[in-house]
Amino acid sequence: MAGPVAGKGSAAGADYRGIVGPLLLPTWVVIGIFLVIPVGLMATYSFLTKEFRGGVIWDFTLAAYDQFFLNRGLFGDEPPSIEWTYLGIFWRSIWQAGVATLICLIVGFPTAWFIATRPERTRPIWLFLITIPYWVNLLIRTVSLKFLIRENGPLNEALMGIGLIDTPLPLVNTNLAVQLGLFYSYLPFMVLPIYAAVERYNFALTEAAHDLYASRWVTLREIVIPAVKPGIVAGCILVFVPSLGAFLAPDLLGGAKTFMIGSLIDEQFKGSQGNWPFGAAAAMILMTLVMLVLILYARAAARSEAR
Amino acid sequence: MKKLILSSTALALLAGAAHAEGKLSVYHWFEYIPQELVDKFTAETGIEVTIDTYDSNEAMLASLKAGKMGQYDVAVPGDYMVEIMAGEGLLDSFAPADLPNFGNIAPQWLDVPFDPGRKSSIPYQWGSTAFSVNRDVYQGDINTLAMIFDPPEELRGKINVLDSQGEVLALASIYMGIPQCNTDREQLKALNDMLINAKQHWASFGSDTAKDVLVSGDAAAGMIYNGFSAKARAEGANVEYAYPKEGFVVWMDNVVLLKDAPNRDNALKFMNFLLDPENAAAVTNYAAYTAGVTGVEPFLDDAIKNSPENNPPADAPAGSFIAVCDEETQKLYDAIWTNLKK
Amino acid sequence: MDLRRYPGFLAVTIACLVILYAPLIVVTIYSFNGSTSITTWGGFSWRWYADVFTGPEAPRFKAAAWNSLTIALIAATTATAIATAAALAMVRGGRFRGKQATFALINLPLMVPEIVIAVATLIFFATIGLTTGYLTIVIAHITFCIPFAYLPIAARMQGIEAHYEQAARDLYATRWQAFRLILLPLMVPGIISGYLLAFIISLDDFIITNFVKGAGMETLPTAIFGSVKQGIKPNIMAISTIMLALSALIVTLSYFINRSGQKARA
C-alpha cells in the first residue's frame, strides 16, 4: 500500500502527470520563500559564533555542535567525553512523544472508525465535535486538565468516591501527566486523517473476509488496517512530530523539572542564555532526525509499492 | 502579480508605520498598565497609543534584536535587562530637563546600578522575589532561604521554584552567602551540588503558575514575587510571604526610551506622564507592586498600602538586584542551570 | 450482523469525547466564578462576561478575537487550496524528479521547532523590509498550516481509485470537469479534515505569532499568554467559553442549513 509520498505509478496518474509543475508551484513558492530561506539562515547560524545575549557573529565555528556532542566539564577545561545531557533530553522527548502517539492511535482509531460508519449526513457533526474543544487555547485547556487531575481535584475525588482508590493518585508532575497532556493536545490530528482514510474504505472487502470465516479482529488486522494505513501514518506524523517540540504540556503538567527538546531550544532564544547558534544546532539535529525517519519511510513505501 | 500585490501591501504597511504626528508605540507586558490610564494620557495629550505586548524580558530582547527595532518608542524591561539593552546599544538617552517630573523619582531609585543617573530609563514598578509558605502546612519560622534549599520535612516534595535561571541562581547564591557573578571554582561547584541536592525536594519549576500552585494547594511553598503572593493571599490561600534573613532579590521594571524611536517627543511625554504620582499610583493599584515615585501615598488603595508583602519587617535585610555577569562568567552559570535541569 | 461494528469502539468514542470535553466543563464553570481565582470557587457571577464585553480591555479582546478568527479563516483556506493542488500532483502525478524533496518540503514546517521558525521568519521579514503586522502573521500561518492540510487530503486521495475519473474522461469530460464532478466530491472528507486541522492550528498558534506580529496587533493566544504574567483570571475563561459557544453555534447552524438543503433537494 502506498505511503503519503508515493503516487500510484499506474495509468491513474496520467491525468495530472502533465501539470505536476503548476500544481506544485504554490507549495514551492510559499514554503520555499517563507520557510526554506529562513531555515537555511538558521542552518547557517548553527555554524556561527554566538553573540553574547542573543544574535550571532559572522565567524564560522563548530562550537554549537561541539557543545551538543562533547562534554568538557563544568568549567570547559576537562578532556572531552561524550555529552549525554542533550542526547538524554532528546531521548526523553522521543519517548514521551512516542507514548503519546501510541495513546492517540489506540483512542483515535476506534473513534475515527466509529465516525466514518455513521450516516453520511451526521459525519461532519462528529468531526466538529472532535475539533470544537480546540477553539479554546491550548494553554487554557492544559491548565484546566491540570485542575482536573490534581491531587485533590475532581478526578481523584470521583475515583475515591466510587471506592476505586483509597489515596489520591499523584498524577501532576509525572511523566504520565505529560503523556496525557500531549495526547490531549494532539488527538484530532490522529482522528481526522484516519477518518478521511476509513471513510473511503470498501466494506465489500470486510464482507468477503467474513465469508471466508475471518473473525472481526482478524479482518481488522489483515484487511482494514493495511487498507487505511496512509491515514494512520499521516495521523502518527501529525501527532509525533509536534509532540517532540511541545513544551506547554511538559512544563505545566510535568513540572518542568527537566528540559525537553522544545524547552531546551526555546531557552536558547528566549532564556537568559541567549545562545542562538546552539538553539539552531539543536533544531537542525532534530530536523535531520525527523527528516531521516520520514525519508526512510517514504523509500520503504515506494519499494513495497513497486513490488 | 501575487508578488506585486505583496510588495505594494508591504509599502502601505511601511508607510502606515511611519511616524505620524500624535502617535506613540509602546512595547509592554500584557495587562501591566490599566487601560483607563492609557485613555487618560490620550485625553490629555491627543496622542494615540498603540501597545504591543511580550511575555518575558528575554523574548522582548530576542524580537528587538531579530528586527523589531525602530517600531517602538518605549519598552518596559526589568532592571538587569536595562543594563543588557544599554550594552547592546538599544537605548536612547534623555536629559533630566526633558522630563519636568524627573524630580519625582524616589531618591533611592535615582542612581541605580543598572542605569546610573537614570540616563535612559525611569522607574515603573518594583518589588521583591523571595518565597511564600502555606501556614496550614508549616508553622515554624520561615524567614530563611533554607525553606527552599534545605526544606523541613513538612515541605519536602511540595515546593515550586521559579522557572527562571536568574532568580533561582541569585537566591541560591544569597543562601550560600557567595557573591553573584562569581568565578571561584570551589564555590561554584558547591553551588552546583547544593542545587542538585535541593532539587530532589522540589515538585515543579514554574513562573507563570507560581501563584496558582499555591492557591490550589499543589505546592505548600513556592518562590514568588511579592505582588503575586499578595494575590494568592487575596484568593484565599493561607500563605505568608517571607523576607529571609540571608537576603532576597529585588527587581524593578523601568520605562526605557528606545533607540530609533519613531516618536521620541511623544515617548518623553509618556514617560513624564508616568512620573506623575497620581498616575504612578494608578499602576500600583492595578499591579499590586510598588511605584518608584515619591508622593504616591495619597492615591493608593489601603489594601495595597498596608499589605504585608509590600512592607518588609523592620529587621529584614536589604535585597539585592540580579547582577549582570560578563560573558565568561555567565557561561559558568548557564552550565550550572543546564546541569540542574538536564 | 453489521460487519462495520466493532464491540468497544462506541465506548472508546464516548470516552474520547468525555476526555476532550471534561476540561472545558472546568473552563465554563470557572468563567462564572465570582472571585479572581481560577482554582477556588467564589460564588456565581456574570462579572467576567461583563468585563469581557464592557471592561477597559474589551476593545482589545474584541480586536484580538476578530484577528484570530479572520487570520485562521484566510490561512486555513489558502493552505487547504495549496495542499489540495500539491496532493493532486503527489498522489496522481506519477513519478517525477524531486518528488521526495517536495515531500520533505511540504512537511518541513512540521519538523522545524516553532521557536526556530519564529526567530528565523522575523529575521527574514526584517531583512526584506516587511514591517510586521497582520500580513506577516497571515503569511507565516499559511506556511505552517500546509502540512496539516496536506496529510489528511493526501491520505484520502490514495484511497480513491482512478477508474471513476477514467470513465468520465472516456465519456469526453475535460480534465477540469472530471476533477470537479468526480474527484473533488470524493475528496471532500479529506478536505474537511485538512481544513479543520489547519484552522485550529492557526487559531491556537502563539509562539510564531508572538514574533511576527507588530505594534497594536494582538491575537487571542498572544493576549492569553501575555495575561499569564499577572495570573490567569476568569475573564480568560469567559472568553474561552464564548469561543466555545460561537463554534457550537456555527456547527448547529451548518447542520440545519445542510439539512434544509437536503430536504429541498428531496
Side-chain angles (χ1 to χ4, degrees):
Chain A
M1 199 26 85
V5 60
K8 293 197 180 288
S10 63
D15 252 352
Y16 297 97
R17 212 165 264 182
I19 53 168
V20 161
L23 284 174
L24 287 176
L25 189 67
T27 310
W28 286 332
V29 168
V30 171
I31 298 186
I33 294 179
F34 296 111
L35 199 64
V36 172
I37 296 179
V39 167
L41 194 73
M42 270 295 151
T44 316
Y45 275 20
S46 74
F47 294 103
L48 296 180
T49 307
K50 83 161 187 174
E51 188 185 341
F52 189 40
R53 310 206 181 282
V56 289
I57 300 163
W58 284 83
D59 276 328
F60 282 86
T61 167
L62 286 172
Y65 292 93
D66 183 288
Q67 182 184 348
F68 191 95
F69 290 111
L70 294 178
N71 178 7
R72 294 172 192 275
L74 192 56
F75 300 98
D77 53 0
E78 292 166 27
S81 56
I82 295 179
E83 173 68 272
W84 291 107
T85 305
Y86 304 111
L87 293 175
I89 290 169
F90 268 53
W91 170 244
R92 203 159 43 229
S93 303
I94 291 170
W95 168 252
Q96 300 278 50
V99 173
T101 310
L102 195 67
I103 307 177
C104 273
L105 184 60
I106 291 169
V107 176
F109 184 84
T111 307
W113 181 275
F114 179 81
I115 296 174
T117 53
R118 292 306 91 201
E120 199 171 340
R121 196 163 44 83
T122 57
R123 283 176 211 160
I125 306 297
W126 285 96
L127 288 187
F128 278 117
L129 269 182
I130 298 288
T131 48
I132 281 179
Y134 294 78
W135 281 57
V136 172
N137 187 268
L138 178 63
L139 176 72
I140 305 301
R141 275 184 283 131
T142 310
V143 166
S144 306
L145 184 65
K146 185 178 178 186
F147 178 92
L148 279 179
I149 64 172
R150 255 170 41 202
E151 204 164 320
N152 47 1
L155 179 72
N156 272 316
E157 275 176 18
L159 288 177
M160 291 204 295
I162 57 173
L164 261 175
I165 50 171
D166 294 329
T167 47
L169 297 171
L171 281 172
V172 172
N173 299 334
T174 64
N175 282 343
L176 184 65
V178 175
Q179 288 146 9
L180 191 67
L182 290 174
F183 155 75
Y184 186 56
S185 305
Y186 298 110
L187 182 61
F189 300 92
M190 182 65 82
V191 175
L192 269 61
I194 297 183
Y195 158 79
V198 171
E199 212 261 359
R200 192 54 216 153
Y201 174 68
N202 186 350
F203 282 96
L205 294 174
T206 299
E207 274 162 37
H210 180 68
D211 292 343
L212 295 169
Y213 303 104
S215 75
R216 276 167 202 276
W217 298 104
V218 171
T219 314
L220 184 69
R221 202 178 62 223
E222 302 291 330
I223 311 286
V224 176
I225 290 184
V228 300
K229 202 173 117 199
I232 294 177
V233 170
C236 288
I237 295 175
L238 283 179
V239 173
F240 182 73
V241 182
S243 292
L244 274 181
F247 56 87
L248 211 60
D251 278 7
L252 286 176
L253 299 167
K257 288 182 78 175
T258 51
F259 279 128
M260 299 283 274
I261 295 179
S263 47
L264 176 74
I265 295 176
D266 200 59
E267 178 100 358
Q268 308 309 319
F269 289 99
K270 285 172 72 177
S272 45
Q273 310 199 355
N275 190 341
W276 290 16
F278 182 68
M284 290 307 130
I285 293 165
L286 172 67
M287 217 179 81
T288 313
L289 267 178
V290 178
M291 195 81 90
L292 219 61
V293 172
L294 278 189
I295 286 178
L296 283 180
Y297 163 74
R299 284 257 166 87
R303 212 173 302 135
S304 75
E305 183 199 350
R307 252 187 274 132
Chain B
M1 186 60 196
K2 203 170 172 184
K3 256 194 186 140
L4 193 72
I5 295 173
L6 210 71
S7 56
S8 61
T9 324
L11 275 178
L13 280 173
L14 279 172
H19 43 278
E21 275 295 315
K23 288 203 169 163
L24 178 70
S25 186
V26 179
Y27 206 19
H28 207 329
W29 303 85
F30 195 82
E31 290 202 336
Y32 197 8
I33 183 163
Q35 185 62 37
E36 293 91 335
L37 194 65
V38 178
D39 294 343
K40 183 182 169 194
F41 176 71
T42 304
E44 279 180 14
T45 59
I47 295 167
E48 200 184 307
V49 182
T50 42
I51 297 183
D52 193 10
T53 57
Y54 52 86
D55 67 331
S56 74
N57 277 310
E58 285 75 18
M60 172 196 62
L61 179 69
S63 68
L64 285 178
K65 286 189 80 165
K68 282 192 176 174
M69 277 307 286
Q71 284 191 35
Y72 307 106
D73 301 301
V74 295
V76 190
D79 43 88
Y80 66 99
M81 191 52 72
V82 174
E83 190 172 341
I84 290 171
M85 289 171 79
E88 297 280 329
L90 303 180
L91 301 185
D92 197 357
S93 55
F94 52 82
D98 293 338
L99 302 174
N101 287 336
F102 192 84
N104 291 348
I105 297 176
Q108 74 265 37
W109 300 124
L110 204 51
D111 210 24
V112 283
F114 50 85
D115 184 16
R118 290 283 179 189
K119 293 189 178 63
S120 43
S121 72
I122 60 159
Y124 188 68
Q125 294 282 299
W126 67 276
S128 62
T129 310
F131 61 91
S132 289
V133 175
N134 188 324
R135 284 317 219 159
D136 296 335
V137 179
Y138 183 75
Q139 286 83 26
D141 174 31
I142 62 166
N143 285 331
T144 163
L145 282 165
M147 291 292 121
I148 300 292
F149 296 110
D150 185 17
E153 197 57 46
E154 295 94 321
L155 296 178
R156 289 183 182 175
K158 292 179 191 156
I159 295 170
N160 178 64
V161 298
L162 295 172
D163 196 7
S164 156
Q165 178 179 339
E167 269 128 346
V168 172
L169 297 189
L171 281 173
S173 303
I174 293 172
Y175 170 63
M176 296 188 72
I178 57 177
Q180 299 184 52
C181 296
N182 198 344
T183 48
D184 184 291
R185 285 187 160 222
E186 289 313 308
Q187 291 183 352
L188 284 178
K189 268 223 162 76
L191 179 71
N192 182 52
D193 296 345
M194 187 281 285
L195 280 166
I196 297 215
N197 189 43
K199 187 186 171 185
Q200 60 179 314
H201 303 306
W202 298 345
S204 57
F205 285 74
S207 300
D208 299 336
T209 51
K211 182 193 74 179
D212 293 325
V213 291
L214 286 175
V215 176
S216 70
D218 288 341
M223 267 186 209
I224 199 164
Y225 320 106
N226 60 341
F228 230 27
S229 181
K231 285 184 183 176
R233 192 168 48 81
E235 288 177 16
N238 183 20
V239 292
E240 185 178 334
Y241 183 76
Y243 278 94
K245 62 175 192 274
E246 297 91 346
F248 50 90
V249 166
V250 172
W251 55 263
M252 170 169 256
D253 289 330
N254 309 271
V255 186
V256 295
L257 183 62
L258 289 171
K259 190 152 253 171
D260 306 328
N263 313 286
R264 192 174 184 277
D265 291 347
N266 293 346
L268 291 171
K269 277 185 197 153
F270 185 65
M271 292 166 91
N272 191 52
F273 174 83
L274 289 175
L275 287 176
D276 184 274
E278 191 178 347
N279 301 334
V283 178
T284 295
N285 287 335
Y286 180 78
Y289 292 113
T290 309
V293 167
T294 50
V296 291
E297 285 75 17
F299 306 104
L300 289 179
D301 295 344
D302 283 340
I304 302 282
K305 212 186 320 188
N306 303 324
S307 93
E309 287 83 1
N310 282 351
N311 294 285
D315 57 346
S320 34
F321 282 110
I322 294 177
V324 177
C325 314
D326 63 45
E327 186 167 1
E328 279 311 304
T329 316
Q330 186 63 41
K331 224 185 218 166
L332 303 176
Y333 283 87
D334 290 351
I336 291 174
W337 179 248
T338 307
N339 210 22
L340 181 64
K341 289 201 71 179
K342 77 177 178 195
Chain C
M1 167 168 160
D2 186 349
L3 292 169
R4 296 163 170 233
R5 256 171 230 210
Y6 278 85
F9 277 23
L10 172 64
V12 173
T13 308
I14 290 172
C16 172
L17 288 175
V18 168
I19 297 170
L20 281 181
Y21 281 86
L24 304 181
I25 296 170
V26 177
V27 170
T28 310
I29 291 175
Y30 276 87
S31 70
F32 293 105
N33 194 358
S35 86
T36 53
S37 168
I38 56 158
T39 46
T40 48
W41 182 248
F44 181 90
S45 155
W46 287 99
R47 66 185 274 204
W48 300 110
Y49 287 90
D51 185 69
V52 167
F53 283 108
T54 60
E57 300 280 349
R60 296 186 60 190
F61 279 128
K62 237 176 267 173
W66 176 252
N67 288 338
S68 275
L69 286 173
T70 53
I71 288 169
L73 271 176
I74 298 171
T77 310
T78 316
T80 307
I82 293 174
T84 307
L88 273 178
M90 295 294 285
V91 181
R92 291 299 180 85
R95 295 187 182 282
F96 56 89
R97 274 189 60 183
K99 192 165 181 174
Q100 285 196 357
T102 307
F103 178 64
L105 191 76
I106 291 170
N107 287 291
L108 191 62
L110 274 178
M111 274 169 256
V112 190
E114 276 197 83
I115 181 71
V116 176
I117 299 187
V119 176
T121 309
L122 177 56
I123 293 172
F124 175 64
F125 284 149
T127 313
I128 62 171
L130 203 55
T131 308
T132 52
Y134 193 89
L135 180 72
T136 49
I137 302 180
V138 169
I139 293 173
H141 279 220
I142 290 173
T143 311
F144 70 69
C145 279
I146 287 176
F148 288 93
Y150 172 82
L151 285 171
I153 294 174
R156 166 76 182 186
M157 209 180 275
Q158 277 163 56
I160 301 174
E161 301 292 335
H163 44 245
Y164 299 111
E165 288 159 270
Q166 251 146 20
R169 291 301 297 272
D170 292 345
L171 295 169
Y172 304 106
T174 62
R175 179 158 61 196
W176 169 242
Q177 282 172 325
F179 170 74
R180 195 168 54 90
L181 299 172
I182 310 289
L183 187 56
L184 191 62
L186 286 171
M187 283 166 57
V188 162
I191 293 178
I192 292 180
S193 299
Y195 188 90
L196 286 176
L197 290 186
F199 186 83
I200 58 178
I201 206 77
S202 162
L203 198 63
D204 221 17
D205 179 74
F206 164 69
I207 300 173
I208 295 173
T209 313
N210 194 31
F211 272 76
V212 299
K213 75 193 170 92
M217 269 298 299
E218 205 77 67
T219 64
L220 271 184
T222 63
I224 288 170
F225 273 81
S227 66
V228 169
K229 168 85 176 166
Q230 302 297 319
I232 304 172
K233 285 187 301 183
N235 62 347
I236 302 293
M237 299 302 195
I239 291 170
S240 302
T241 309
I242 294 167
M243 290 294 284
L244 272 182
L246 184 68
S247 63
L249 186 75
I250 292 173
V251 173
T252 318
L253 278 181
S254 68
Y255 176 74
F256 281 113
I257 291 168
N258 197 3
R259 214 169 66 160
S260 65
Q262 271 169 351
K263 264 192 200 140
R265 255 183 277 149

